Amino acid sequence: IQKWNSQYFERISLKTLGLCIQLGHTTGLKCPNPCRAFNDDFIVVDTHSIHEVSLDFCNCATAQSHIQQLLQISWFPLTTSDPKTAATFRVLEHYHLLSFESKVSAFEFYNALSRMSDNTGLLPIKVNLNFRCLQS
């Protein structure tokens, strides 16, 4: 995401813009017992970019596990304990098709996503993908 700062467009995260995603409840309902994602540092890998977002899990007595809450919104967590990075089902399907049709490796696919997020290479992308998770 880019924001105009009166001189030029600068990169800004969805988290900095104030986006907070609440899982485990119907859209628009506020959770009475939210649990912030581990270190308040959640990364979402999607087909058009890699995003930093603020994410709250539902921590109510009847809440499902964090993994299940992510899967319900079609995000695949990259770890099973304290997930702080997830890939959308859409990006996984995109990679799956590209790997069959063009034999693109997971490393090359990730580098392309990084370039879509910042093609200058000046800003570090805050994600550490385990490429074995993408290969199957």
Side-chain angles (χ1 to χ4, degrees), residues 86-104:
T88 63
F89 283 14
R90 180 174 44 202
V91 77
L92 293 176
E93 181 181 20
H94 190 79
Y95 169 69
H96 187 223
L97 291 172
L98 282 175
S99 70
F100 282 133
E101 294 298 323
S102 64
K103 307 297 185 219
V104 67

Side-chain angles (χ1 to χ4, degrees), residues 36-98:
R36 188 69 44 139
F38 185 72
N39 284 344
D40 191 22
D41 187 27
F42 202 87
I43 304 296
V44 179
V45 181
D46 197 14
T47 53
H48 58 280
S49 191
I50 299 170
H51 302 283
E52 183 181 357
V53 298
S54 185
L55 182 90
D56 290 340
F57 292 101
C58 174
N59 203 26
C60 297
T62 59
Q64 294 181 324
S65 73
H66 292 184
I67 304 300
Q68 289 172 316
Q69 290 180 49
L70 288 168
L71 290 172
Q72 281 184 333
I73 62 166
S74 299
W75 289 4
F76 189 83
L78 297 186
T79 60
T80 55
S81 62
D82 293 327
K84 53 190 268 184
T85 304
T88 63
F89 283 14
R90 180 174 44 202
V91 77
L92 293 176
E93 181 181 20
H94 190 79
Y95 169 69
H96 187 223
L97 291 172
L98 282 175

